[in-house]
C-alpha cells in the first residue's frame, strides 16, 4: 500500500472529520477537462459560490455525469480567480436570458482512485434516492454519507502519482457575502441566501453543537460517531439537514433540521412535523432554526426551536464565508 492511501485509511480509522460530495458535470467534454486537469470548476452564480464554500479543503469528491460516478479525489486547495475566461479550460455559459456565467471558483484535487461506476449500484443508494426523488440533478453538488465514501474507496484502482497544478497565470481574489442589496456584486460579493446559511449551520452544528443536540434528544453516543449531512430528499419535499450515525449498529437514530433565513411560523413547524413522520420511527425529532419565530407558531414535543445570529455585524460591510462561520451563534428558544 503506498503512503498516500495509507494516510487516508488512517484518517478513516481515527475519526478525522471529512465530507464526501458528488459534483455534477453537465457535459462529457467538461468532465474530460476536469479529470485531465484534476480541477473542479463552479460558475459565478450563487449556486456556484455555494458549492465552492460548502466543500472544504480535505473533503473527498467524485464527479457525477450521465448516471455514473467518476474517480475519487481529495480537495487540496480552493481558489477564486479573477481571470477564468483567460486561463480556461471552461467556456463561459450564456443563458437564453442573456446572462453569462464564467467559472471563477476552482477546487484543486489530488487524485486517489480511478473509477467509472454506475449509480444503480447499491453502494450509491443514499445519493441515488435523492436524485430519483428530485427527478434529476439540478444541483451543483450532492453530499453523501461516510458509508458511501468507504464503499467508493474500494472501487476502481488506486492512483499514486503526484500531480502538479499549473496556476501561474491565475489571479486570485477573496469572494464575500453581504446582507445589503446595494453591496451585491457577483462573483466578488454575493447576497446571503438560504443555501449559504444551511452550509454555515451544517458546519457549525457539527463542530460546536452536536454533543448538546444528541443529549437534548437523549441519543447515546459520541458526537464523533455522527455526521451532519446537507439536504435529505423525502417523497413530499426535502429537509435541509440530516443528523445520523456514520456507521449504525442495530439502531440508527436521526434528527431532521429545517432552516429558515428569516422568520419561521406555524406552517414551517407543520412541514417539519410531517417530514419527521414521513422519515420513519427512527427519526427521534427535529430542530427548526430561524432568525426569529412568530408568536403563534405553536409547539411540538419532539421539535426544538433554535435562533441563529452573527453577533455584531453591519449591513454595510462584507464578510468572508469563514468569518461568518466563526461568528454564527445558535441559541435554543
Amino acid at each position: 500500500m503506498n503512503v498516500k492511501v495509507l494516510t487516508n485509511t488512517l484518517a478513516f480509522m481515527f475519526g478525522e472529520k471529512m465530507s464526501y460530495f458528488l459534483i455534477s458535470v453537465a457535459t462529457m467534454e467538461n468532465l474530460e477537462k476536469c479529470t485531465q486537469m484534476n480541477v473542479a470548476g463552479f460558475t459565478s452564480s450563487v449556486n456556484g459560490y455555494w458549492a465552492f464554500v460548502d466543500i472544504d479543503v480535505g473533503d473527498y469528491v467524485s464527479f457525477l455525469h450521465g448516471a455514473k460516478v467518476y474517480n475519487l479525489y481529495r480537495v487540496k486547495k480552493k481558489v477564486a480567480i479573477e481571470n477564468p475566461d483567460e486561463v480556461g479550460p471552461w467556456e463561459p455559459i450564456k443563458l437564453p436570458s442573456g446572462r453569462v456565467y464564467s467559472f471563477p471558483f476552482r477546487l484543486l484535487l489530488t487524485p486517489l482512485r480511478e473509477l467509472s461506476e454506475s449509480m444503480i449500484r447499491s453502494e450509491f443508494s443514499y445519493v441515488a434516492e435523492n436524485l430519483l426523488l428530485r427527478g434529476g440533478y439540478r444541483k451543483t453538488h450532492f453530499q453523501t454519507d461516510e458509508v458511501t465514501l468507504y464503499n467508493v474507496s474500494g472501487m476502481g484502482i488506486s492512483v499514486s502519482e503526484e500531480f502538479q497544478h499549473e496556476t501561474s497565470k491565475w489571479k486570485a481574489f477573496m469572494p464575500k457575502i453581504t446582507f445589503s442589496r446595494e453591496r451585491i456584486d457577483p462573483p466578488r460579493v454575493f447576497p446571503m441566501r438560504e443555501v449559504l446559511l444551511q452550509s454555515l449551520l451544517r458546519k457549525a452544528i457539527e463542530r460546536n453543537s452536536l454533543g448538546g443536540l444528541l443529549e437534548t434528544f437523549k441519543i447515546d453516543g459520541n458526537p464523533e460517531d455522527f455526521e451532519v449531512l446537507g439536504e435529505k430528499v423525502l417523497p413530499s419535499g426535502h429537509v435541509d439537514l440530516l443528523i445520523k450515525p456514520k456507521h449504525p449498529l442495530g439502531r440508527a437514530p436521526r434528527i431532521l433540521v429545517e432552516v429558515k433565513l428569516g422568520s419561521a411560523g406555524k406552517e414551517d413547524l407543520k412541514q417539519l412535523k410531517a417530514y419527521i413522520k414521513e422519515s420513519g420511527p427512527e427519526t427521534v425529532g427535529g430542530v427548526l432554526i430561524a432568525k426569529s419565530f412568530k408568536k403563534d407558531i405553536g409547539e411540538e414535543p419532539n421539535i426544538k426551536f433554535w435562533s441563529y445570529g452573527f453577533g455584531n455585524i453591519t449591513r454595510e460591510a462584507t464578510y468572508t464565508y469563514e468569518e461568518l462561520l466563526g461568528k454564527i451563534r445558535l441559541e435554543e428558544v
Side-chain angles (χ1 to χ4, degrees):
M1 181 182 294
N2 64 62
V3 173
K4 185 180 297 183
V5 174
L6 176 60
T7 301
N8 291 326
T9 302
L10 292 176
F12 290 151
M13 291 171 60
F14 289 100
E16 178 184 328
K17 286 189 179 296
M18 68 193 79
S19 296
Y20 177 44
F21 297 88
L22 300 185
I23 297 173
S24 300
V25 182
T27 67
M28 180 57 72
E29 180 183 3
N30 282 347
L31 175 65
E32 290 173 351
K33 291 177 180 178
C34 291
T35 55
Q36 288 168 3
M37 298 181 62
N38 294 316
V39 175
F42 302 104
T43 66
S44 51
S45 65
V46 169
N47 281 347
Y49 174 64
W50 164 50
F52 178 70
V53 295
D54 199 33
I55 302 172
D56 286 330
V57 171
D59 283 345
Y60 294 81
V61 301
S62 295
F63 292 112
L64 177 61
H65 172 71
K68 281 191 173 183
V69 176
Y70 294 88
N71 301 348
L72 177 65
Y73 306 85
R74 199 164 196 191
V75 180
K76 180 169 68 174
K77 188 176 181 180
K78 305 199 301 184
V79 185
I81 61 174
E82 294 181 344
N83 56 336
D85 298 348
E86 177 185 331
V87 302
W90 301 283
E91 296 293 329
I93 297 174
K94 186 172 184 179
L95 301 182
S97 63
R99 182 170 294 179
V100 178
Y101 291 109
S102 59
F103 288 82
F105 303 120
R106 312 288 175 96
L107 305 182
L108 306 188
L109 308 175
T110 298
L112 300 178
R113 303 195 71 83
E114 183 178 319
L115 58 100
S116 173
E117 300 290 344
S118 171
M119 281 289 294
I120 66 172
R121 288 186 60 155
S122 61
E123 290 90 341
F124 295 115
S125 60
Y126 182 88
V127 70
E129 182 181 76
N130 275 2
L131 288 170
L132 179 63
L133 292 173
R134 267 188 166 274
Y137 294 174
R138 290 183 292 181
K139 272 185 66 177
T140 52
H141 64 298
F142 297 85
Q143 186 183 9
T144 186
D145 60 0
E146 193 167 299
V147 171
T148 307
L149 176 56
Y150 271 86
N151 290 331
V152 173
S153 298
M155 296 178 184
I157 59 173
S158 174
V159 178
S160 58
E161 68 268 16
E162 292 292 333
F163 184 87
Q164 298 298 322
H165 293 87
E166 175 52 57
T167 61
S168 60
K169 296 181 180 180
W170 292 12
K171 300 175 183 177
F173 72 97
M174 182 63 70
K176 295 188 175 183
I177 297 171
T178 182
F179 295 84
S180 169
R181 290 184 179 180
E182 288 72 26
R183 298 302 302 272
I184 298 172
D185 183 25
R188 292 184 170 276
V189 183
F190 288 96
M192 174 58 78
R193 289 288 186 261
E194 201 158 275
V195 289
L196 297 176
L197 178 61
Q198 290 166 12
S199 176
L200 289 165
L201 289 172
R202 175 177 68 84
K203 297 176 186 180
I205 291 171
E206 187 170 61
R207 297 176 187 183
N208 306 315
S209 306
L210 192 49
L213 193 55
L214 297 178
E215 185 177 341
T216 296
F217 286 98
K218 296 180 173 57
I219 299 175
D220 294 329
N222 190 322
E224 294 292 328
D225 297 329
F226 286 76
E227 57 189 340
V228 186
L229 302 175
E231 191 181 271
K232 174 61 178 175
V233 180
L234 301 169
S236 63
H238 65 269
V239 68
D240 296 323
L241 303 175
L242 169 67
I243 300 169
K244 73 174 191 68
K246 292 178 180 178
H247 304 281
L249 293 173
R251 295 182 65 253
R254 297 176 293 182
I255 302 170
L256 306 186
V257 181
E258 189 71 6
V259 175
K260 299 299 173 185
L261 186 61
S263 179
K266 55 186 178 182
E267 288 302 314
D268 302 309
L269 178 62
K270 180 180 177 181
Q271 181 184 54
L272 181 54
K273 180 182 176 182
Y275 288 161
I276 292 171
K277 181 179 180 181
E278 183 177 24
S279 62
E282 289 189 293
T283 300
V284 299
V287 182
L288 183 57
I289 303 178
K291 183 70 174 176
S292 61
F293 295 88
K294 297 176 182 177
K295 292 182 179 180
D296 64 347
I297 190 171
E299 60 182 34
E300 288 292 333
N302 63 337
I303 295 178
K304 305 300 180 183
F305 297 158
W306 283 6
S307 64
Y308 77 88
F310 294 101
N312 296 322
I313 62 172
T314 62
R315 291 185 60 82
E316 293 73 25
T318 60
Y319 302 90
T320 66
Y321 177 91
E322 289 71 22
E323 286 173 336
L324 291 179
L325 184 58
K327 291 176 179 291
I328 197 166
R329 296 294 180 268
L330 292 165
E331 182 178 346
E332 187 170 352
V333 177

